[in-house]
Structure formats: structure tokens, C-alpha cells
Amino acid sequence: MIKKLLVCLVLLLVGAAHADSLRDSFDTVWEALWHQGGSPTTVIRWGDQMRVNVQGRNQSTHRARIVAALEKVTTLAGVRLVDVTDLPEADKKANLDVHIVNDLDLQDNQACFVRFLQISRSRIEKAELKMRDRAVYRCVLHEAMHTVGISGHPTGDTVLSYFYQRADALTELDRLMVRAWYSPEMRAGMTPFEAVVVLTDALVASQGAEQDKARAAQRAFLDDTLRRMEAFADEQGEVPVILKRSGTASGEAITRGRMLIRYFLGLAYVNGTVVKADRRTSLQWFERAARDGFSPAQMAAGRAYEHGDGVTASAADAYVWYSMAAAQEIAAAVQALKRVAAVMTPEEVEAAKARIPAAR
């Protein structure tokens, strides 16, 4: 009897540990969608080719290690890596410039970083990677993950973590994230709420015979994440832990992060992503982000009122939101403003204009 009880206890402990591990992985992939500065990020990806030019201090010493690290992630992504370093006019041929710099050339707390210089329609077209000469070994895989578009610094079993100790190999979770990031299920431009579904789906699929339990855990995680983000967006909840942990998130950046989450919540309620579709609730979030000055939210609110999507159609209300976007020189807003003004009387237009200051 005692032996059976011990066996049951061991099984319970193993099951609990597995559930905790899966929740940790869910948390990690969600945190990978947050830039350390304070903003949730949309999905950006490379096209079919990354052309790298390695230059700077001790290039001959570091080049092979850098190219090998990039090859590990690009192979997983299905992106062809071409080393153009030795080609004529390599700087013109490259779309990823790697600079190995003097140890004093970067800020004291910054050993390495990736910066995306050109992005078109959520496709990365030009980027640069800078590393201190003495930091190449410990930075290179971490930054290679960033180069393919995953910007976050989550905790957990990943080289993206500031706390991960091993620098010479990707983890299984790293490999899963990159594959999912470049899978057909993921699309460039996806919001964090859309992307986290794809990433956690990949985690569920990796659980083998435990997929049913993992699916239930995923649903609970997504529901909890939605609630936490709504509280954050409503200025009632805690700032996301990833931002507290980064130590680099300014108040201004967190305010922008809150604005973006409001907009992304609006899209989630429009599309039924991680939550049941609700057009009225989506409009409420769009209006919150629109008042923050976010032009895509202003356009979304304008369209909802123009077409009566989740609310009684109102050309006057549409005029207010389109006017705010047009003031930011958004071409589509200028055209939309003309469109709704055409169905309004001059008096209605003047009354709508008078409402604009109060809507901000």
C-alpha cells in the first residue's frame, strides 16, 4: 500500500513539474514578442535570402563563428545565408552588416545589439549587428536569434534570455520558436496575440501523447494573458514582467506599449483572436488607442463609424477620427475624410470639427 502511494505521489509530482515547464515555455514565447524597450512587437521576417558582410576588429578570428551562428538560425528559418564578405563591393551587396567593434565603442551596458534599418511590409530588408570584440563568443547566438526577427529578451530556456548561461548552442525552445516564426501558419505583420497562438500551437504539437492536456493548458494561458493585457491596457494591472526585468523600459516607452496593446486588443476582438469576436468591444479599444494619437487606431475607429461596424453608423463620428489621422498626414485618412464629408451638410462638418479637440 505504501509503495502504491509513493508511486502515485511521484506521478503527481512529475505531472506538476511537466505542467510548470509547459507554462514556463508559454510565458517565454509570449515574452519573446516584447521589445525590451517597452513595446509589444509584430512579426517581421526576412525574405528568401540573408547576405552577410562581416567587418571590423579581428574579423579573421571571429568571422567563421559568426557565419556559423547565423547559419544555425537561417537554416531553421528556411532563409538562404550567403557570406558576401570577400566579394567586391560587399557593403552594397549585403543586407546584414556585422560590425565587430572596439570594446569602448559601445555603451557600458551594451555588449552587442541588432538594429533593423529597413523594413517594408513587415519584411526585413536591411539590418546591422554590432558586437564588442571580446563579446563575440557570448553574444553571437543570442544576436543571431534577433537577426531573424525575434526581438524579445524572455526568461526561460532560451539563448535570448539574459540569464541563460550556455552560449554555444541553441536550445530546443529556440529551434521551435524559429521554425514557428517562419512557418506557413505565421504571417509577417501578425500582432502579438496572433503570433502567440502560432507559437503556443507549436509547443502543444511538441507534447506528443500529452497534447490534449497541453491544449487545455494553452487555452488557460491565452485566457490569462488576455485578462492581464486588458488590465495593463486599462491602467489597472501590473506592467508586464518582461518590462520590469529588462531594466531599460522607460515610462514613455511603457506608455507607448500600453497604447499598442490597446490597438492590438481592438484587432483581437475584431478577428476573434484568443477571444470571442465582439465588434463593440473592439471599437472601445480602438478609440482608447486613437485618443493616444495612434493613427492606425484612428483609421480603425473611423471605418467602424463610417460602416456601422459594431455601432450605429455615423458620418460625423467617422469624420472626427479620420480628421485626427489626416492631421498626421495619413493619405488614406485624407481620402476617407473627403468621402464622409461628401455625405454631410456644411453645418454637420463644422460641428464635427468642433468635437475634435475633446476627442484627443
Side-chain angles (χ1 to χ4, degrees):
M1 183 66 179
I2 293 176
K3 185 176 180 180
K4 288 183 178 180
L5 287 173
L6 288 172
V7 169
C8 289
L9 179 60
V10 168
L11 290 174
L12 285 171
L13 290 173
V14 169
H18 178 75
D20 288 344
S21 175
L22 186 59
R23 173 61 194 235
D24 287 345
S25 294
F26 287 156
D27 284 332
T28 297
V29 299
W30 171 248
E31 290 182 351
L33 293 163
W34 285 75
H35 188 273
Q36 65 173 347
S39 297
T41 60
T42 55
V43 173
I44 58 173
R45 305 195 295 192
W46 289 90
D48 59 359
Q49 193 174 98
M50 180 188 290
R51 300 179 301 278
V52 59
N53 177 27
V54 182
Q55 53 195 294
R57 290 179 58 83
N58 294 319
Q59 183 248 45
S60 60
T61 301
H62 298 305
R63 178 180 167 188
R65 183 183 298 279
I66 291 168
V67 172
L70 290 170
E71 193 160 41
K72 285 180 181 180
V73 293
T74 54
T75 297
L76 291 167
V79 174
R80 184 182 174 216
L81 180 69
V82 181
D83 182 359
V84 300
T85 304
D86 292 332
L87 299 181
E89 298 186 312
D91 57 329
K92 295 180 180 179
K93 292 181 171 67
N95 53 16
L96 173 64
D97 290 311
V98 177
H99 303 275
I100 308 162
V101 301
N102 188 293
D103 290 340
L104 299 178
D105 287 347
L106 299 181
Q107 297 176 8
D108 290 343
N109 63 345
Q110 191 172 45
C112 44
F113 68 86
V114 168
R115 182 170 59 168
F116 298 111
L117 303 175
Q118 188 175 340
I119 300 172
S120 178
R121 297 184 179 180
S122 299
R123 173 172 287 192
I124 303 165
E125 295 187 346
K126 184 76 173 176
E128 69 172 356
L129 163 57
K130 287 189 177 183
M131 291 181 285
R132 290 180 179 179
D133 184 15
R134 280 190 255 178
V136 170
Y137 175 76
R138 64 186 176 90
C139 277
V140 66
L141 273 178
H142 176 102
E143 298 301 338
M145 288 286 288
H146 288 327
T147 63
V148 293
I150 306 175
S151 296
H153 291 95
T155 188
D157 190 27
T158 168
V159 298
L160 289 168
S161 172
Y162 287 135
F163 310 104
Y164 192 71
Q165 297 301 311
R166 188 173 177 182
D168 61 341
L170 297 173
T171 70
E172 184 54 43
L173 185 55
D174 291 326
R175 292 189 285 271
L176 179 146
M177 279 196 285
V178 176
R179 290 191 194 102
W181 200 266
Y182 281 82
S183 69
E185 291 74 26
M186 192 79 84
R187 298 186 311 278
M190 270 187 163
T191 72
F193 291 116
E194 294 171 314
V196 75
V197 173
V198 177
L199 291 168
T200 53
D201 277 347
L203 280 164
V204 169
S206 72
Q207 298 304 300
E210 299 292 316
Q211 285 190 36
D212 288 343
K213 291 181 181 178
R215 184 68 65 189
Q218 178 195 30
R219 183 67 263 166
F221 169 78
L222 294 175
D223 289 344
D224 179 58
T225 299
L226 179 75
R227 286 193 297 269
R228 287 186 289 115
M229 291 302 102
E230 287 188 312
F232 170 59
D234 201 32
E235 300 184 52
Q236 302 298 316
E238 292 288 331
V239 171
V241 174
I242 181 64
L243 303 184
K244 293 180 179 179
R245 191 188 308 120
S246 76
T248 61
S250 66
E252 182 180 350
I254 290 173
T255 296
R256 176 173 171 77
R258 185 175 278 116
M259 175 189 73
L260 289 172
I261 281 293
R262 287 170 177 165
Y263 176 64
F264 293 145
L265 282 166
L267 291 176
Y269 275 101
V270 164
N271 299 321
T273 305
V274 309
V275 69
K276 185 178 179 180
D278 184 333
R279 298 288 177 145
R280 185 172 293 276
T281 301
S282 75
L283 178 57
Q284 291 171 357
W285 285 119
F286 283 146
E287 288 184 314
R288 296 278 301 267
R291 291 189 185 96
D292 293 332
F294 194 48
S295 61
Q298 292 163 351
M299 291 296 296
R303 284 191 294 269
Y305 279 108
E306 182 181 5
H307 301 294
D309 192 1
V311 70
T312 301
S314 168
D317 286 304
Y319 188 97
V320 170
W321 295 119
Y322 284 147
S323 292
M324 293 170 69
Q328 299 187 58
E329 300 182 354
I330 306 301
V334 174
Q335 294 302 313
L337 200 57
K338 293 177 181 177
R339 189 170 61 245
V340 295
V343 300
M344 299 169 67
T345 67
E347 293 77 16
E348 288 172 333
V349 170
E350 290 305 312
K353 287 180 178 178
R355 292 172 49 200
I356 294 171
R360 290 192 174 96

